Amino acid sequence: MADHVQSLAQLEILCKQLYETTETGVRLQAEKALVEFTNSPDCLSKCQLLLERGSSSYSQLLAATCLSKLVSRTSNPLPLEQRIDIRNYVLNYLATRPKLAEFVTQALIQLYSRITKLGWFDCQKDDYVFRNVIADVTRFLQDSVEHCIIGVTILSQLTNEINQADTSHPLTKHRKIASSFRDSSLFDIFTLSCNLLKQVCVWWWQSILAFWVIFLAEPYFSDPTSCASTSAAVLVFQSLSDPNNYHEFCRLLARLKSNYQLGELVKVENYPEVIRLIANFTVTSLQHWEFAPNSVHYLLSLWQRLAASVPYVKATEPHLLETYTPEVTKAYITSRLESVCIILRDGLEDPLDDAGLVQQQLDQLSTIGRCEYEKTCALLVQLFDQSAQTYQELLQSTNSSTIDITVQEGRLTWLVYIIGAVIGGRVSFASTDEQDAMDGELVCRVLQLMNLTDSRLAQAGNERLELAMLSFFEQFRKIYIGDQVQKSSKVSTFTVTTHTLLCFRPETITNLKYWGQCEPITSKTLQLLNDLSIGYPLPKLVKLSAVQFMLNNHTSEHFSFLGVNNQSNLSDMRCRTTFYTALGRLLMVDLGEDEDQFEQFMLPLTAAFEAVAQMFSTNTFNEQEAKRTLVGLVRDLRGIAFAFNAKTSFMMLFDWIYPAYMPILQRAIELWYHVPACTTPVLKLMAELVHNRSQRLQFDVSSPNGILLFRETSKMITTYGNRILTIGEVPKDQVYSVKLKGVSVCFSMLKAVLSGNYVNFGVFRLYGDDALDNALQTFIKLLLSIPHSDLLDYPKLSQSFYSLLEVLTQDHMNFIASLEPHVVMYILSSISEGLTALGNIYIHTAPHLLNIIIFEDCRNQWSMSRPLLGLILLNEKYFADLRNSIVNSQPPEKQQAMHLCFENLMEGIERNLLTKNRDRFTQNLSVFRREVNDSMKNSSYGVNSNDMMS
């Protein structure tokens, strides 16, 4: 440790300087000294002294933070005995000092949680010493109020810690710990929290509820729509509404151990009163949103599950949801509208600024609102008409205040979001023509509002309202636009006639013209354009004047986000790839072999390449301008290359870029290899160019283009690889972005070109060309620079490495055989560790995939079937046990039929992963899903997804 850190007094001074001083230089010096202290050999003992004798909360915080780093490190970990001592010391420290500063208590609880998680599988004399959670916390819960708060916080923080993966430890270990925690401790923690409900003060109920709902919502439960979880939530709300019902709550809770379905709960004699209490509690809470805003998610989650279960209820008793669900929907909608004025008046934080929170609530409301949809629609029409009329009157009046206009815009923003959500909720229910007509009523109103807001964009615009419009359009597109739309749909009859208005004039041209500098609106608009270029009949789309305008005028003059200026950030250009992917698809519709049309389209990109070439040709040039121009250009080209999946169009692009502009890309890699914001887009473009997607890279027999393309690929991999290995040690939190991401792209690039079937690799050795050897040797150098743990911790790197290794072992085994023994051992070890990791996650992945296929709206069974077959073959015994469990969960008269479903699933399937075998399994899986669903519909029991996943 440095000489200036010699005493506890000095440490406390440094802590005070770090956390309190306003002088940057002093703070940086203190931070440097404290980092040295953290890395010193006597850090552990000094931390204990700081906790015992430190006079400031900052020194206690430093000690807790340092100890957390010590117990978390993967290299040179602390011995088991020391970690046990630290855990016991922290608990005693918290117990004897219940009135520490809140941030100190939180840091110490975080330390306890981290030790517990990382030591979950550690044994001492056959005892899992870190699993005594209940015993550790019970003593806090039996003491003063301050101690009880600490105990509940420990339970909450530990649950959260167990659920959170981190980058410093393998994901497989995290999953094993989470599963074990769920199986061995979570129910006991839940029971303990239930017992607290009758003991704590009324003002404390929300803390207990928050923890309990964490238990409900955690992904330890495989099926988020679990009826058992829903039933338990019902009972919790009953107890919260009336503490006298606690004993009844416990009695009914015991029945949940049998995994009763909702239909069984309906038979409980006091169900009508229970559901009434829940509804009243929910409506009241939603109306008083300012007192418990964080509870909205849990309330909506409960009602979403209840509403989603309605089609599956088999019991004859009324479930009463048709009575109370509209009340919940109305309470949510009206409370959001009423909050707008209060938030503006009091300067409160606006929930509309939190896009993730809004989307989460809308996803939940989409299911709730479609239950008794006619009531929801009538309410929305009434509220929307009122707000829209008031808004229009305010805009036409010369005496309107800005505040009044802003309030109405806020109300309309919420209404547009909600309308989009309930239209998107159509997918969860069997829709009728009447409901489609209701959707049409809502859609027309949003279109009319869009006309009004577009007319004001030249003077003023509301970003939140524009984002709400885009959210609405995306939901509308998913349900009513595209080849998959049912032609009988009432809404589909006006889809085509309003398509220009809906999707292009306002939401592409207008948005990109007026909102080009607003990244959220630009990116969402471009994503909408991209989605439409996939899902809508393209010949109709291309004829639109708006589309033709974009194809002929894709420059910064018309679309400001394509501009390059001194303020633009290199990472802000990702949306350009999306833009040019959509334009590329649209261009291909009528392009054919028209080279003149292609050259005309490429003129702005040609000018950009020439500009970069001109900069590189001089000894001095504006490096930042060159970087921005190049990055924007390669992102544009990658979008076009991705869209051009036909041979004719791709060959035009290939002839345009090679050989004229390839040296510019190579030069960029040489100059800026250490700047991932520059090199990654260039590498990704090259990886796309060599990808033989849809057999688009088909050269004539006499053409050398395949060999020439491989040479350029080899040169780029070699140039980047040799240079990136010279950058030295990289901090752990930056190693992926600085190094491993580029390496991963290089692996993907090499795999694509080796497996593209357009290069005769024997030619290289025949003519003494070292391009192939250079690429392969660079791959080995890069591979040996990566620890095994990183190969498993970063999924994209793992995927690219194992895919490349598969190609090498199939077609280049002579190269693998010529490697040095230590290299072969490294590769074999990576395969062994990868297989071990895959085996560990089988228990999580295979049941989850089956659950999605059987119970959820699985729209792409093909993508599910490919990994599922590999998992089944990897552990056939586990699959057999899983199959037997599902079969046995059926009523006796249905077991034979379910057994036959599984037999048919594996009919004709061999023990290999060849394409023909996988295709056969995909076909079997489609039949399996249909047969199982038919069996479930005809059964009064059905298949319980919890049973399946257990």
Side-chain angles (χ1 to χ4, degrees):
M1 187 169 60
D3 293 337
H4 59 279
V5 184
Q6 295 293 334
S7 66
L8 296 181
Q10 287 177 306
L11 280 174
E12 293 199 314
I13 292 173
L14 289 172
C15 290
K16 188 177 181 65
Q17 292 174 344
L18 177 66
Y19 292 110
E20 290 187 351
T21 185
T22 58
E23 298 180 22
T24 304
V26 174
R27 186 170 63 252
L28 290 176
Q29 288 296 324
E31 182 178 1
K32 181 180 179 181
L34 291 174
V35 168
E36 294 179 0
F37 163 72
T38 302
N39 297 326
S40 64
D42 58 350
C43 177
L44 185 61
S45 58
K46 286 292 180 64
C47 284
Q48 183 174 353
L49 288 174
L50 278 174
L51 289 171
E52 290 290 346
R53 304 179 186 177
S55 59
S56 74
S57 298
Y58 294 136
S59 60
Q60 295 168 334
L61 176 62
L62 172 67
T65 304
C66 289
L67 289 173
S68 292
K69 291 180 179 179
L70 287 175
V71 301
S72 302
R73 67 189 184 192
T74 54
S75 59
N76 191 25
L78 294 179
L80 175 61
E81 291 75 14
Q82 278 190 331
R83 285 183 284 128
I84 294 174
D85 290 343
I86 293 174
R87 191 273 308 269
N88 294 338
Y89 180 81
V90 169
L91 289 172
N92 290 329
Y93 193 85
L94 288 169
T96 56
R97 296 170 174 82
K99 296 185 179 182
L100 291 167
E102 184 177 353
F103 58 85
V104 176
T105 300
Q106 187 65 35
L108 289 169
I109 292 175
Q110 176 66 40
L111 170 59
Y112 167 83
S113 301
R114 178 59 57 88
I115 293 176
T116 302
K117 176 181 179 177
L118 297 180
W120 192 256
F121 290 110
D122 291 341
C123 286
Q124 188 181 56
K125 298 180 180 179
D126 298 327
D127 178 29
Y128 289 104
V129 289
F130 291 102
R131 298 192 185 183
N132 302 322
V133 177
I134 301 299
D136 292 343
V137 174
T138 299
R139 60 173 176 165
F140 287 93
L141 301 180
Q142 295 174 345
D143 210 317
S144 65
V145 172
E146 290 85 359
H147 286 88
C148 286
I149 293 175
I150 293 173
V152 172
T153 306
I154 289 175
L155 293 177
S156 179
Q157 183 60 45
L158 178 60
T159 305
N160 187 61
E161 177 69 30
I162 294 288
N163 187 45
Q164 294 290 331
D166 61 75
T167 59
S168 59
H169 295 85
L171 184 60
T172 53
K173 180 178 179 181
H174 159 72
R175 286 170 171 165
K176 289 174 66 177
I177 293 171
S179 298
S180 176
F181 178 79
R182 174 198 63 193
D183 296 338
S184 64
S185 301
L186 198 57
F187 185 78
D188 292 335
I189 295 176
F190 160 66
T191 303
L192 184 61
S193 68
C194 290
N195 291 334
L196 290 173
L197 285 172
K198 69 173 183 178
Q199 299 172 7
V200 296
C201 301
V202 175
W203 58 266
W204 203 16
W205 76 265
Q206 190 177 5
S207 298
I208 302 300
L209 171 63
F211 166 74
W212 198 92
V213 179
I214 286 177
F215 169 83
L216 242 184
E218 289 292 353
Y220 303 124
F221 293 102
S222 52
D223 179 17
T225 60
S226 163
C227 291
S229 298
T230 303
S231 305
V234 170
L235 300 174
V236 167
F237 277 98
Q238 179 191 17
S239 291
L240 290 172
S241 302
D242 185 355
N244 294 325
N245 290 330
Y246 176 78
H247 295 295
E248 180 67 12
F249 164 77
C250 291
R251 183 182 69 81
L252 295 178
L253 177 63
R255 300 181 62 184
L256 294 177
K257 294 180 180 179
S258 302
N259 275 333
Y260 282 1
Q261 302 235 3
L262 183 58
E264 290 295 318
L265 182 61
V266 173
K267 297 178 182 178
V268 178
E269 59 277 7
N270 62 344
Y271 175 79
E273 179 64 14
V274 172
I275 201 70
R276 185 188 67 80
L277 290 171
I278 299 171
N280 291 342
F281 179 83
T282 303
V283 169
T284 303
S285 298
L286 290 174
Q287 290 172 340
H288 298 281
W289 56 269
E290 65 273 25
F291 298 114
N294 295 329
S295 299
V296 173
H297 162 73
Y298 305 115
L299 293 167
L300 294 181
S301 178
L302 170 64
W303 283 95
Q304 179 190 27
R305 297 176 186 183
L306 289 170
S309 68
V310 170
Y312 304 100
V313 174
K314 305 295 183 181
T316 58
E317 291 85 351
H319 50 67
L320 302 179
L321 293 178
E322 74 281 359
T323 301
Y324 295 111
T325 301
E327 295 183 10
V328 173
T329 302
K330 181 179 180 180
Y332 178 83
I333 295 173
T334 55
S335 66
R336 300 312 102 175
L337 301 186
E338 292 166 0
S339 72
V340 174
C341 184
I342 298 173
I343 289 170
L344 282 172
R345 182 193 67 197
D346 299 340
L348 303 177
E349 184 177 353
D350 196 331
L352 286 171
D353 292 333
D354 189 340
L357 176 66
V358 171
Q359 191 57 54
Q360 184 182 65
Q361 293 180 4
L362 293 176
D363 289 343
Q364 296 166 327
L365 186 70
S366 66
T367 303
I368 304 170
R370 291 299 290 206
C371 189
E372 298 299 308
Y373 187 46
E374 63 279 0
K375 296 180 181 178
T376 301
C377 182
L379 175 65
L380 287 172
V381 167
Q382 175 191 352
L383 295 173
F384 192 95
D385 287 348
Q386 291 173 353
S387 293
Q389 182 178 353
T390 303
Y391 183 52
Q392 189 169 14
E393 291 172 355
L394 288 171
L395 294 180
Q396 294 172 348
S397 173
T398 57
N399 299 324
S400 302
S401 68
T402 304
I403 293 295
D404 290 339
I405 293 176
T406 304
V407 167
Q408 293 307 316
E409 287 178 338
R411 291 171 62 89
L412 288 169
T413 298
W414 274 112
L415 287 169
V416 171
Y417 267 126
I418 292 169
I419 288 173
V422 296
I423 289 176
R426 180 181 186 270
V427 73
S428 302
F429 291 84
S431 191
T432 63
D433 288 346
E434 290 74 16
Q435 290 180 340
D436 287 345
M438 295 176 202
D439 285 350
E441 290 292 321
L442 296 174
V443 170
C444 289
R445 282 166 168 76
V446 177
L447 293 178
Q448 291 169 356
L449 176 63
M450 182 181 64
N451 279 333
L452 180 61
T453 56
D454 280 356
S455 66
R456 300 186 64 244
L457 280 178
Q459 296 81 33
N462 187 296
E463 179 179 340
R464 293 183 183 132
L465 185 53
E466 291 296 333
L467 289 172
M469 293 281 193
L470 286 167
S471 175
F472 160 80
F473 292 141
E474 178 57 21
Q475 295 297 330
F476 183 89
R477 183 199 65 80
K478 289 178 180 178
I479 300 300
Y480 288 113
I481 296 180
D483 294 333
Q484 304 302 317
V485 176
Q486 296 180 1
K487 300 305 179 183
S488 61
S489 166
K490 293 277 187 175
V491 176
S492 65
T493 59
F494 67 79
T495 296
V496 176
T497 58
T498 61
H499 188 269
T500 303
L501 173 69
L502 176 61
C503 300
F504 279 93
R505 184 175 64 79
E507 292 313 306
T508 299
I509 302 299
T510 305
N511 272 359
L512 298 180
K513 177 180 178 181
Y514 290 102
W515 297 98
Q517 301 304 319
C518 179
E519 195 278 332
I521 292 180
T522 299
S523 61
K524 289 182 180 298
T525 301
L526 292 176
Q527 189 58 52
L528 174 64
L529 171 63
N530 186 56
D531 292 340
L532 287 165
S533 71
I534 300 172
Y536 194 78
L538 291 182
K540 295 180 181 179
L541 209 56
V542 172
K543 293 178 182 178
L544 298 175
S545 59
V547 174
Q548 289 298 316
F549 179 85
M550 286 190 293
L551 290 174
N552 295 318
N553 299 278
H554 48 98
T555 63
S556 59
E557 178 184 355
H558 301 283
F559 302 101
S560 59
F561 71 93
L562 295 175
V564 176
N565 54 63
N566 294 332
Q567 286 73 42
S568 61
N569 192 301
L570 296 180
S571 62
D572 291 341
M573 299 184 182
R574 294 185 179 92
C575 61
R576 297 175 63 145
T577 303
T578 306
F579 180 60
Y580 273 95
T581 298
L583 288 191
R585 292 195 185 103
L586 296 169
L587 178 67
M588 280 183 60
V589 174
D590 296 327
L591 180 61
E593 298 181 1
D594 191 342
E595 296 183 2
D596 292 337
Q597 183 182 356
F598 173 77
E599 294 289 343
Q600 182 68 27
F601 176 82
M602 297 297 289
L603 281 178
L605 290 85
T606 302
F609 249 138
E610 296 295 340
V612 177
Q614 180 63 32
M615 294 181 198
F616 283 173
S617 66
T618 61
N619 294 328
T620 59
F621 60 89
N622 187 324
E623 187 171 341
Q624 291 304 313
E625 182 182 355
K627 287 179 179 178
R628 285 191 290 268
T629 304
L630 178 78
V631 170
L633 174 61
V634 296
R635 288 190 183 279
D636 299 345
L637 286 172
R638 184 179 166 217
I640 296 173
F642 183 82
F644 281 14
N645 55 8
K647 177 182 177 181
T648 303
S649 56
F650 191 80
M651 284 299 102
M652 290 183 189
L653 178 63
F654 178 81
D655 293 336
W656 178 84
I657 199 172
Y658 180 85
Y661 300 126
M662 199 63 71
I664 298 175
L665 301 180
Q666 300 285 3
R667 179 63 175 153
I669 293 294
E670 293 174 1
L671 287 175
W672 301 317
Y673 65 91
H674 57 291
V675 184
C678 291
T679 55
T680 300
V682 175
L683 293 172
K684 285 187 174 182
L685 170 61
M686 194 66 185
E688 183 59 43
L689 289 174
V690 301
H691 191 173
N692 194 11
R693 183 181 290 109
S694 302
Q695 299 300 305
R696 62 187 183 180
L697 277 166
Q698 293 294 324
F699 302 108
D700 296 334
V701 175
S702 60
S703 172
N705 283 342
I707 295 171
L708 296 174
L709 181 58
F710 181 83
R711 279 182 177 174
E712 294 295 332
T713 307
S714 173
K715 182 179 179 181
M716 184 167 289
I717 292 173
T718 304
T719 300
Y720 177 78
N722 289 334
R723 282 169 170 75
I724 201 67
L725 291 174
T726 65
I727 63 175
E729 192 70 22
V730 180
K732 179 66 176 177
D733 60 338
Q734 301 176 26
V735 68
Y736 182 76
S737 60
V738 172
K739 176 185 175 183
L740 297 182
K741 187 174 184 179
V743 171
S744 176
V745 178
C746 285
F747 287 177
S748 298
M749 186 194 311
L750 185 56
K751 182 261 182 183
V753 75
L754 290 177
S755 60
N757 294 321
Y758 53 84
V759 183
N760 184 346
F761 293 103
V763 170
F764 294 101
R765 176 167 296 183
L766 180 63
Y767 290 98
D769 191 324
D770 59 0
L772 178 59
D773 287 338
N774 289 342
L776 296 179
Q777 292 298 335
T778 303
F779 157 66
I780 294 300
K781 284 191 239 180
L782 291 172
L783 178 62
L784 294 178
S785 71
I786 304 172
H788 278 142
S789 59
D790 286 347
L791 284 176
L792 298 177
D793 287 346
Y794 299 102
K796 289 184 179 180
L797 175 64
S798 177
Q799 174 67 30
S800 62
F801 164 65
Y802 288 115
S803 298
L804 173 56
L805 189 60
E806 182 179 7
V807 172
L808 288 174
T809 53
Q810 284 180 349
D811 302 325
H812 299 272
M813 198 61 202
N814 58 333
F815 169 74
I816 298 293
S818 67
L819 295 173
E820 294 291 328
H822 73 280
V823 180
V824 176
M825 288 303 300
Y826 182 95
I827 293 175
L828 292 176
S829 297
S830 68
I831 296 173
S832 175
E833 293 191 16
L835 288 173
T836 301
L838 182 62
N840 288 339
I841 66 171
Y842 179 91
I843 193 171
H844 306 279
T845 309
H848 183 61
L849 286 174
L850 269 180
N851 186 57
I852 293 174
I853 291 167
I854 295 176
F855 296 102
E856 298 185 15
D857 182 24
C858 182
R859 299 187 178 187
N860 195 343
Q861 294 178 37
W862 186 92
S863 63
M864 294 293 179
S865 68
R866 311 316 264 193
L868 182 58
L869 177 59
L871 291 169
I872 290 173
L873 297 179
L874 181 68
N875 196 329
E876 292 176 295
K877 182 180 182 303
Y878 183 87
F879 178 72
D881 294 341
L882 182 64
R883 176 194 62 200
N884 294 336
S885 175
I886 296 174
V887 170
N888 293 334
S889 69
Q890 296 297 291
E893 67 274 11
K894 295 290 184 179
Q895 290 184 6
Q896 181 61 34
M898 185 62 70
H899 179 77
L900 184 60
C901 290
F902 277 95
E903 289 292 324
N904 294 338
L905 175 63
M906 303 307 294
E907 177 69 27
I909 302 302
E910 301 175 359
R911 298 192 75 259
N912 63 64
L913 294 177
L914 297 178
T915 302
K916 182 179 179 181
N917 200 45
R918 288 186 174 192
D919 291 342
R920 178 66 180 269
F921 180 76
T922 300
Q923 295 171 4
N924 288 1
L925 190 65
S926 179
V927 177
F928 171 79
R929 171 183 165 85
R930 184 172 62 252
E931 291 177 346
V932 170
N933 280 323
D934 290 343
S935 176
M936 291 168 57
K937 290 177 182 177
N938 297 327
S939 171
S940 60
Y941 291 83
V943 177
N944 191 320
S945 56
N946 270 352
D947 292 340
M948 174 179 164
M949 300 295 293
S950 61

